[in-house]
Amino acid sequence: AYVERIERLTEEKREADEAISETYKEAKANGYNPAILKKLIAERARDPAQAQEDDALLSHYREAAK
């Protein structure tokens, strides 16, 4: 039963990956930059508190690099 369940979930994951890929292609065809979309999606998935901490640290590093 576990093997069949894992196989089904693996197939669903493959189908979802294909749908995501097609969506990026569609967005690109409509003038959007897929790399920037991926960054935006990753940003939205981040924990807000961790994002704020990371942004503050990045700002600090930028200032130190001047």
Side-chain angles (χ1 to χ4, degrees):
Y2 288 118
V3 171
E4 290 172 358
R5 203 163 126 201
I6 292 168
E7 288 173 338
R8 180 180 49 80
L9 291 169
T10 301
E11 178 61 21
E12 288 175 9
K13 181 180 177 186
R14 187 189 62 74
E15 291 172 1
D17 288 343
E18 286 178 10
I20 290 168
S21 178
E22 288 301 316
T23 303
Y24 278 118
K25 288 176 186 175
E26 182 181 338
K28 184 175 182 176
N30 284 301
Y32 290 92
N33 182 322
I36 300 301
L37 288 174
K38 289 176 185 181
K39 285 183 180 186
L40 176 61
I41 290 165
E43 182 180 294
R44 290 171 52 114
R46 291 170 52 195
D47 173 60
Q50 184 64 49
Q52 186 176 16
E53 183 179 324
D54 291 349
D55 291 344
L57 190 55
L58 181 59
S59 178
H60 177 73
Y61 283 17
R62 280 187 180 132
E63 286 298 316
K66 285 185 179 182

